[in-house]
Amino acid sequence: MSIASPLAGRIPVTRITPAVPDPRWHPKAFEGEVVPFRATVFREGHDRVGVMLVITAPSGEVRRARMSPLAPGTDRWEALVRLDELGEWHWHVTGFDDEIATWRHDAAVKIDAGVDTLLMFEIGARLLDRAAAETARPEAVRTRLAGLAGRLRDPGSSVADRRPLVDDPVFDEFDARPLARLASDSAEHTILVERRRAGVGAWYEFFPRSEGARLLKDGSWRSGTFRSAQKRLDAVAAMGFDVVYLPPIHPIGVTNRKGPNNTLTPGPHDPGSPWAIGGPMKDGGAGGHDAVHPDLGTLADFRAFVRRANALDLEIALDLALQASPDHPWVAEHPDWFTQLPDGTIRYAENPPKKYQDIYPVNFDDDPEGIFAEVLRVVRHWMKQGVRIFRVDNPHTKPLVFWERLIAAVNAEDPGVVFLAEAFTRPAMMQALAMVGFQQSYSYFTWRNTKAELEEFLTSVSQETADFMRPNLFVNTPDILTEYLQFGGPAAFTVRATIAATAAPLWGVYSGFELFESVARPGAEEAIDNEKYEYKPRDFAAAEAGGRSLALYLGILNRVRAEHPALAQLRNLRFHASDDDSVIVYSKHLDGRFTPDGADDTIIVVANVDPHSVRETTVHLDLATIGLDDDARFEVEDLVTGAKWEWGASNYVRLDAFTRPAHILHVRRAPDA
């Protein structure tokens, strides 16, 4: 019987991260992300091990980073690396017998105890002899190492004189170029680095047809257009958003068209749901996913809209909803793309108790290749119009393999195209969509409102799934108006925006949030008079003038995000304690070696998640997680009000839900550091 080769190296290297739950797919990061590379490395006995991360950039540059131990006794090691180049990075971890570290530990113990002192000096000298003979080391370093070996052996020096040599600064040379023995490599791993917008961005959603819409004397509406919607772009840019997301802009079906609040009795002037894609064009024909609604303008008007957005440093995200109204060209041309019922009708969409009689879901079973080719054509069509971001509607109701193929095909042509999965579904499907290629994911954030819920959820998305899934923390959507927002008043809107904007690098707002729109359809979790089924022009200027708008605060949040690189990271989120179950405390810290100005960047957020009360409590900070000593005193500045306080490990806070429910604090300096 043959014996298999051992899988464990002489110095075992296990539990490598970043990783995904299924090794068929690779972890990912975004350009500029600081990624923690970790491994469990150990050996038998008591000798010390060293751990080195060896990582190769897409350009071929090889970098080496010495890994540091994490919690004592865990054998876990970590190196933080800023991934600053797009493409596939390859890396492995090397564990080795660290003879220098073992000797320094043993020498310190034995020499201080007066045991084997001369022997310990000689062992150290011989190790330095070996290192000095390695021609790969710089000549000046080799000279210093040889000189230190001589001083360790110097019979004219006392033990007391030679003892400090064990801690000589020249030993720092071995951090980057260790004297390694018994080296054992892990398998080679891959991490994909995508463009920055895949991982960092502030999204704003609005319906172009509502911007500039007017109610006429006869009760009909004149739709807003791409040209009138351009006027809204300046205000969105002024609030500091990066991405403007448009619901479907295609022709809307007439058959089974929905009226206000999803009713089955539309009036003659009701515009219908944009998600009922496919309907009449001006020439009398039917348009589908590659057409624009004639009320909005022409394809040239859309391109002008995109150019104006780009001039304001905004990107356009377009909805990709793979479904059809009964009037879509697909229904007549490809009836096998839909589910035929025994009575001869086509099955419409349902999400019990909601019914969407105006929408036919696509069935991928009978002609998957035809559907794939058509959707790829549609995506390429919009890419040619300047769109590089797609928000995908209900991807969890389509085959996983379809999305894997589609995203791979698109990213092979343009790696910068971003897909956001709007999948409010079971964790297995949500995570699988991210693993097979979706760059961003909606999440359960909208339904996590208490301190305990938020701590559990945000810990999960920032630590457990961050290697492959990037959460986009939308505070509301046309479909989602939670009870927290319905009954929490302005404080609820302020708190939700604060947490979404600071807890993750990606967050989003649906238009009307800044106006505190909170009235729901009775018995439902969505806004009454829903914009999905009617025009909804808003007077943003009047609301701001009357003090009924959160727009200024949203602008402050996005400015703070832009100014503080710690907030552009996901994996650095850490929670701290407070004595009040309604006061949540978390920090984001970024070491100065990863910031543009070389200074540490630390943000501490303290929020009262009870929108109906005033809370006074003490918060307790784990100062080590923000790079400070346990007894440090430091100054914090509230980045909203400008107020400053001196803080330490424990601090009193008062958060009034009706005036100032949250602090966003910048650690400005540590006087004792």
Side-chain angles (χ1 to χ4, degrees):
M1 183 178 68
S2 62
I3 300 175
S5 299
L7 297 178
R10 182 62 178 79
I11 306 294
V13 179
T14 66
R15 294 182 58 206
I16 304 289
T17 62
V20 299
D22 191 315
R24 287 176 293 178
W25 296 288
H26 300 305
K28 55 192 174 186
F30 58 84
E31 186 181 19
E33 186 171 9
V34 176
V35 176
F37 290 83
R38 294 176 180 145
T40 297
V41 184
F42 55 92
R43 68 164 298 172
E44 82 288 347
H46 301 289
D47 286 357
R48 300 299 176 95
V49 299
V51 188
M52 186 73 72
L53 171 68
V54 183
I55 185 165
T56 304
S59 63
E61 177 191 2
V62 178
R63 306 179 191 179
R64 297 164 62 86
R66 188 70 180 260
M67 302 180 79
S68 302
L70 292 174
T74 65
D75 294 314
R76 289 293 281 169
W77 299 76
E78 176 186 76
L80 298 177
V81 179
R82 183 176 184 269
L83 302 181
D84 51 8
E85 191 176 318
L86 297 176
E88 287 191 348
W89 294 61
H90 300 278
W91 58 280
H92 67 269
V93 173
T94 299
F96 55 90
D97 174 19
D98 192 339
E99 295 179 273
I100 292 292
T102 298
W103 172 75
R104 294 182 74 187
H105 171 267
D106 293 349
V109 172
K110 288 190 173 185
I111 293 172
D112 290 348
V115 176
D116 296 334
T117 54
L118 296 180
L119 179 61
M120 295 312 300
F121 287 136
E122 179 58 27
I123 291 173
R126 292 188 180 190
L127 291 174
L128 292 171
D129 289 342
R130 280 173 48 200
E134 294 179 341
T135 57
R137 297 181 189 274
E139 184 64 33
V141 171
R142 295 171 63 194
T143 299
R144 290 179 62 196
L145 294 175
L148 181 59
R151 285 185 286 157
L152 285 173
R153 291 189 175 101
D154 184 3
S157 296
S158 67
V159 169
D161 289 337
R162 282 184 275 177
R163 169 61 180 85
L165 300 179
V166 176
D167 301 312
D168 192 281
V170 76
F171 285 109
D172 293 343
E173 152 71 11
F174 295 102
D175 289 341
R177 287 179 287 268
L179 191 65
R181 194 170 66 107
L182 308 178
S184 303
D185 294 336
S186 73
E188 195 75 9
H189 296 267
T190 300
I191 184 168
L192 174 64
V193 176
E194 298 170 307
R195 74 173 174 117
R196 185 172 177 81
R197 186 62 68 231
V200 182
W203 289 49
Y204 187 91
E205 175 183 0
F206 73 79
F207 287 64
R209 73 184 187 187
S210 290
E211 298 301 326
R214 289 197 302 146
L215 180 62
L216 305 180
K217 291 181 179 180
D218 63 358
S220 65
W221 281 88
R222 177 176 295 166
S223 172
T225 66
F226 290 128
R227 292 186 180 185
S228 62
Q230 280 193 40
K231 299 176 183 178
R232 182 66 183 146
L233 293 176
D234 291 271
V236 174
M239 287 187 286
F241 288 95
D242 308 301
V243 178
V244 171
Y245 155 50
L246 305 181
I249 59 172
H250 316 298
I252 297 172
V254 176
T255 303
N256 297 332
R257 177 173 287 192
K258 292 299 187 76
N261 293 306
N262 200 28
T263 62
L264 289 169
T265 55
H269 307 301
D270 288 327
S273 167
W275 281 272
I277 299 171
M281 301 289 288
K282 282 187 176 181
D283 62 5
H289 282 71
D290 56 359
V292 297
H293 196 298
D295 287 354
L296 295 175
T298 66
L299 199 58
D301 292 330
F302 175 74
R303 288 194 294 268
F305 180 86
V306 173
R307 288 195 298 272
R308 176 57 185 160
N310 295 164
L312 295 168
D313 291 327
L314 294 167
E315 287 197 58
I316 297 300
L318 198 60
D319 198 284
L320 180 62
L322 300 190
Q323 58 207 31
S325 83
D327 306 314
H328 196 294
W330 289 350
V331 177
E333 298 169 4
H334 302 281
D336 54 333
W337 290 5
F338 305 93
T339 301
Q340 310 289 327
L341 298 176
D343 62 0
T345 62
I346 295 177
R347 189 181 70 184
Y348 59 76
E350 294 184 80
N351 184 16
K354 298 177 182 178
K355 295 185 177 183
Y356 304 101
Q357 295 90 339
D358 55 340
I359 293 173
Y360 291 162
V362 174
N363 185 323
F364 288 75
D365 294 340
D366 294 329
D367 185 16
E369 293 303 318
I371 295 171
F372 175 81
E374 171 64 0
V375 176
L376 180 58
R377 183 192 69 82
V378 167
V379 171
R380 285 170 171 164
H381 167 74
W382 292 110
M383 289 167 61
K384 290 178 182 177
Q385 316 310 316
V387 176
R388 298 184 78 210
I389 304 177
F390 294 90
R391 178 269 197 190
V392 178
D393 191 68
N394 287 327
H396 55 289
T397 62
K398 287 82 179 172
L400 192 68
V401 66
F402 170 82
W403 294 119
E404 183 177 23
R405 286 185 64 195
L406 181 75
I407 295 172
V410 172
N411 286 154
E413 298 174 12
D414 183 351
V417 174
V418 172
F419 290 86
L420 166 61
E422 185 252 3
F424 297 113
T425 185
R426 302 182 305 279
M429 175 58 92
M430 290 178 67
Q431 294 177 21
L433 288 165
M435 283 191 284
V436 303
F438 276 93
Q439 285 83 5
Q440 301 180 17
S441 304
Y442 276 35
S443 70
Y444 304 132
F445 173 71
T446 46
W447 298 282
R448 302 296 185 263
N449 297 293
T450 68
K451 176 182 178 179
E453 290 170 347
L454 284 165
E455 288 185 345
E456 179 184 25
F457 166 75
L458 291 171
T459 296
S460 174
V461 297
S462 65
Q463 307 298 321
E464 297 168 16
T465 60
D467 288 345
F468 59 94
M469 191 174 92
R470 303 189 190 104
N472 193 323
L473 305 187
F474 263 78
V475 290
N476 67 327
T477 77
D479 292 308
I480 302 173
L481 180 66
T482 61
E483 289 187 359
Y484 188 87
L485 294 179
Q486 291 177 34
F487 304 109
F493 286 75
T494 302
V495 169
R496 295 301 291 176
T498 301
I499 295 174
T502 59
L506 291 163
W507 79 299
V509 171
Y510 159 54
S511 181
F513 180 88
E514 65 268 50
L515 303 185
F516 309 113
E517 291 181 1
S518 59
V519 181
R521 183 165 55 84
E525 200 183 48
E526 62 180 33
I528 199 168
D529 302 328
N530 199 294
E531 194 171 4
K532 291 194 299 180
Y533 308 106
E534 56 190 87
Y535 301 102
K536 203 176 187 74
R538 299 173 173 92
D539 193 339
F540 296 99
E544 289 188 45
R548 304 184 307 278
S549 173
L550 198 62
L552 178 62
Y553 187 71
L554 299 184
I556 292 173
L557 289 176
N558 284 327
R559 174 181 55 78
V560 168
R561 284 166 50 90
E563 293 176 351
H564 291 278
L567 296 179
Q569 302 290 325
L570 175 63
R571 305 169 201 247
N572 61 347
L573 181 69
R574 299 293 182 270
F575 283 95
H576 304 263
S578 79
D579 294 338
D580 191 314
D581 286 340
S582 289
V583 175
I584 191 170
V585 188
Y586 56 86
S587 67
K588 286 200 158 187
H589 173 76
L590 191 61
D591 189 83
R593 59 198 165 113
F594 302 120
T595 64
D597 62 1
D600 287 1
D601 186 39
T602 304
I603 299 294
I604 300 170
V605 177
V606 187
N608 173 10
V609 297
D610 178 2
H612 306 289
S613 70
V614 177
R615 298 284 175 162
E616 298 185 54
T617 189
T618 300
V619 302
H620 305 281
L621 303 177
D622 179 356
L623 295 184
T625 64
I626 59 175
L628 296 174
D629 295 333
D630 291 342
D631 59 352
R633 302 295 297 176
F634 51 94
E635 182 179 271
V636 295
E637 178 185 8
D638 189 309
L639 295 176
V640 178
T641 67
K644 298 177 183 178
W645 301 278
E646 184 180 301
W647 272 30
S650 297
N651 312 279
Y652 164 82
V653 295
R654 182 180 188 276
L655 296 171
D656 187 339
F658 306 101
T659 56
R660 187 62 62 191
H663 290 315
I664 304 175
L665 305 173
H666 179 216
V667 177
R668 294 186 57 84
R669 57 186 178 88
D672 300 331

